Amino acid sequence: MGTRTSVTVRAPAKINLQLSVGEPAADGFHPLATVFQAVGLHDEVTAVPAPGGTFTCEVSGVDAAMVPCDSSNLAVRAARALVAAAGPETAPRLGVHLSIRKQIPVAGGMAGGSADAAAALLACDTLWGLDLDRAQLTDLAAGLGSDVPFSLLGGTAVGLGRGDRLTPALGRGSWHWVLLVSRSSLSTPAVYRELDRLRAGRLLVEPRVSEPLMQALRSGEANALGAALHNDLQHAAVSLLPELDQLLEHVRDHEPAGVLVSGSGPTVAVLAEDDQHAAELAVALADAPGVSRVLRASGPVHGCRIVDPGVRGVAP
Ligand code: ATP
């Protein structure tokens, strides 16, 4: 059993370069064909030991007031899931206090909660000295949410099934994004429900990964990737938040390499041709309608990483 003083893990936000959504199955889940990219915008989760059976958290940083600090916090749920996997002998001794520092917009379609859950899994595993392997952590992650395994993995990856069956995607170079964070937020389940409503009665083909998108990733050509970006949820997000349409039009007027709503929105991801172009777009879009913050991030970046392993003490 480890006796570290604290462990800090950094977890990236994601953009879905493609998000194709099929007909919901009997269990309500939608089959997906998605291509994730982890980008350089991070939350940090620090785990410190607490008495056995104690699971608490505090949240600071951007949008912290929108994040629950009780047992519904995804990072707390992750810690509890790890305890359940630790077995009956060890479990009663395990407890943790989690400090979450947020940079990823909350309810913005960039998987901030999932990032915190993935970070908490890795931080608690290390803090408690459980040493689960990646496959075990990934299984636990999938049980917490479809985007959680990708946050552990990072990079650029194809996600099938619920988005949790991951395969790293080949790609060349770095991609430069400008992220337009909305003043509004959208609930992911509400966006899926809206998609189902808008497509009711339509015959849907099984979602497939886009070959032009995969080729564009391999080419390193921003304009090719921009042309191949696709998100089935965009239409539904715009239907729930019509001002998003105005924002997308406004962005297109500035001729980016590409633009799409990130995941379930409402953050809008703007692809630039290169770093310099991203800097110019960020300035030009600073007063875009309905936008609270303009951020820049490049991808792909690593998945969850331990940035401070704390100090290991002597086992009691
Ligand atoms: P996704 O892109 O995975 O669909 P999202 O980025 O749109 O998700 P999140 O930021 O993950 O949305 O937040 C979704 C909801 O989850 C929020 O309304 C928030 O109250 C709740 N939540 C619970 N725990 C967390 C957490 N650690 N960080 C952010 N939100 C959390």
Side-chain angles (χ1 to χ4, degrees), residues 14 16 36 43 45 57 59 62-77 100 102 104-117 145-148 185-189 192 233 262-267:
K14 60 83 186 164
N16 299 83
F36 295 105
D43 282 0
V45 176
C57 78
V59 185
V62 178
D63 297 339
M66 290 167 68
V67 179
C69 277
D70 56 16
S71 56
S72 70
N73 188 291
L74 285 165
V76 174
R77 286 181 43 209
I100 303 172
K102 292 211 69 79
I104 305 174
V106 175
M110 300 198 73
S114 301
D116 299 348
S146 310
D147 292 340
V148 186
S185 55
L186 281 171
S187 136
T188 304
Y192 274 95
L233 291 181
S262 175
S264 56
T267 304

Side-chain angles (χ1 to χ4, degrees), residues 29 32 36 114 141-150 162-166:
F29 278 94
L32 304 179
F36 295 105
S114 301
L144 291 160
S146 310
D147 292 340
V148 186
F150 176 71
R162 295 177 180 182
D164 55 343
R165 278 178 19 223
L166 296 170

Side-chain angles (χ1 to χ4, degrees), residues 101-312:
R101 232 179 58 209
K102 292 211 69 79
Q103 274 194 341
I104 305 174
V106 175
M110 300 198 73
S114 301
D116 299 348
L121 280 179
L122 185 55
C124 291
D125 179 62
T126 311
L127 183 76
W128 294 331
L130 300 175
D131 288 331
L132 266 59
D133 61 33
R134 272 283 156 154
Q136 289 171 302
L137 284 180
T138 302
D139 275 355
L140 282 174
L144 291 160
S146 310
D147 292 340
V148 186
F150 176 71
S151 184
L152 280 177
L153 179 69
T156 305
V158 170
L160 298 176
R162 295 177 180 182
D164 55 343
R165 278 178 19 223
L166 296 170
T167 318
L170 286 178
R172 177 184 295 185
S174 254
W175 307 95
H176 303 279
W177 299 94
V178 176
L179 304 167
L180 306 179
V181 181
S182 174
R183 290 205 188 100
S184 311
S185 55
L186 281 171
S187 136
T188 304
V191 176
Y192 274 95
R193 276 196 303 275
E194 182 65 0
L195 180 72
D196 291 341
R197 192 187 70 77
L198 292 169
R199 303 198 301 195
R202 274 215 258 146
L203 199 62
L204 300 175
V205 293
E206 202 183 317
R208 285 198 176 176
V209 173
S210 149
E211 195 41 47
L213 184 98
M214 300 311 279
Q215 274 176 17
L217 277 171
R218 291 191 293 266
S219 76
E221 287 288 323
N223 285 307
L225 184 65
L229 297 172
H230 174 79
N231 181 1
D232 275 349
L233 291 181
Q234 181 160 312
H235 185 36
V238 168
S239 170
L240 292 175
L241 204 61
E243 69 234 43
L244 264 183
D245 215 16
Q246 226 186 313
L247 176 58
L248 290 165
E249 272 311 304
H250 180 81
V251 173
R252 286 186 196 110
D253 288 344
H254 288 79
E255 300 186 345
V259 60
L260 88 173
V261 167
S262 175
S264 56
T267 304
V268 167
V270 183
L271 181 63
E273 284 172 22
D274 52 31
D275 196 37
Q276 174 65 28
H277 188 213
E280 287 161 16
L281 282 172
V283 172
L285 295 170
D287 57 359
V291 170
S292 67
R293 278 185 295 144
V294 177
L295 305 171
R296 282 176 58 196
S298 297
V301 298
H302 289 292
C304 283
R305 280 278 174 103
I306 296 172
V307 290
D308 182 353
V311 178
R312 193 196 279 277

